[in-house]
Amino acid sequence: MPTATFDMLGTFFSLESLRPRLSALGVPAPTLELWFAESLRDFFALSHAGGYAPIREVLEAALPRTLALVGRGDVAPAHTAQVLEGLKELEPAEGAHEACELLSRAGWKLIALTNGGEASTRALLTRAGLLDRFSAVLSTDSVRTTKPHPTVYAVARERAEGEPWMVAAHAWDLQGAKRAGMRTAWVSRKEQRWLDVFPEPEVRAPDLATVARELLGTARQG
């Protein structure tokens, strides 16, 4: 049977629980998106230049800068630490449990492939009661290179069985997976519009459960 490889941060686990922690600091709601977008940019840039730092460290380094950009450069380190603690309490995105149930019942192999840490991802999956659904939890930390570099997807493909799929809510992630030889499924609710400069995904759906149903339908057709 095929393998579904899931991105974790922002796809399988929602970042929304961080928003109230940031709002408590008196910043506008879009600060969450600004913080993560700039952190990812710097995470990628560091890797592209031949360096590497775990994404947790990049997020921690970037948060004071983001707060300063939105007019709250006076926030004490103890308060930024409370925001970062929220990374340990991310909740599964809509449809995550159902997607795991549908695919596992149909015999699909499930893999987690994350720019986050392996231990932290295992902790989130354990907290959600879903760790046993995944045959592997793979982190970019192991190769010290970020997605969407081909090396990262090669690690997942080595562990896959049957046809390898990548499931993500980020177009930048899926275009990397597609170029690395994986089929792709886009969870569209967050980004809403696909960038025309990226190769098209095979599946588009608003949530993880619908993606799972589409994957099962594609497998039956094949």
Side-chain angles (χ1 to χ4, degrees):
M1 290 299 288
T3 297
T5 300
F6 287 88
D7 170 61
M8 292 281 110
L9 294 175
T11 298
F12 197 87
F13 288 101
S14 171
L15 303 176
E16 282 301 313
S17 62
L18 296 171
R19 199 180 303 278
R21 290 175 180 259
L22 286 164
S23 296
L25 303 181
V27 300
T31 302
L32 174 61
E33 284 75 19
L34 177 62
W35 174 36
F36 263 80
E38 292 204 333
S39 296
L40 281 175
R41 179 199 65 197
D42 296 340
F43 185 51
F44 297 164
L46 185 59
S47 174
H48 188 69
Y52 188 82
I55 196 169
R56 173 66 166 71
E57 294 181 13
V58 179
L59 286 164
E60 183 176 5
L63 183 54
R65 179 187 61 193
T66 301
L67 293 174
L69 286 172
V70 296
R72 286 306 318 270
D74 59 337
V75 173
H79 293 151
T80 59
Q82 291 175 6
V83 175
L84 293 163
E85 278 296 300
L87 292 167
K88 300 176 181 178
E89 299 177 3
L90 301 180
E91 296 294 336
E94 180 180 353
H97 283 85
E98 185 177 355
C100 288
E101 176 64 23
L102 288 169
L103 293 171
S104 296
R105 194 166 60 214
W108 281 54
K109 184 175 184 177
L110 306 185
I111 291 175
L113 180 65
T114 181
N115 273 331
E118 179 182 346
S120 59
T121 301
R122 286 184 177 277
L124 287 172
L125 289 168
T126 299
R127 184 171 180 268
L130 292 170
L131 181 60
D132 64 341
R133 298 291 193 179
F134 287 82
S135 63
V137 177
L138 308 176
S139 167
T140 57
D141 292 350
S142 67
V143 291
R144 297 185 64 80
T145 302
T146 71
K147 289 191 287 178
H149 193 280
T151 299
V152 181
Y153 304 105
V155 172
R157 292 193 66 185
E158 288 173 0
R159 303 291 292 271
E161 297 175 5
E163 191 169 46
W165 284 82
M166 184 74 206
V167 180
H170 315 295
W172 60 260
D173 192 351
L174 293 178
Q175 64 88 25
K178 170 80 79 171
R179 295 176 195 281
M182 302 177 79
R183 301 189 75 185
T184 55
W186 182 44
V187 185
S188 62
R189 179 162 292 167
K190 191 69 175 178
E191 293 182 340
Q192 297 188 21
R193 293 190 179 185
W194 184 263
L195 270 66
D196 292 339
V197 294
F198 291 156
E200 285 285 324
E202 281 83 3
V203 168
R204 300 182 184 214
D207 57 65
L208 288 169
T210 308
V211 162
R213 295 189 194 96
E214 292 286 336
L215 293 183
L216 294 176
T218 300
R220 284 192 292 269
Q221 293 171 11

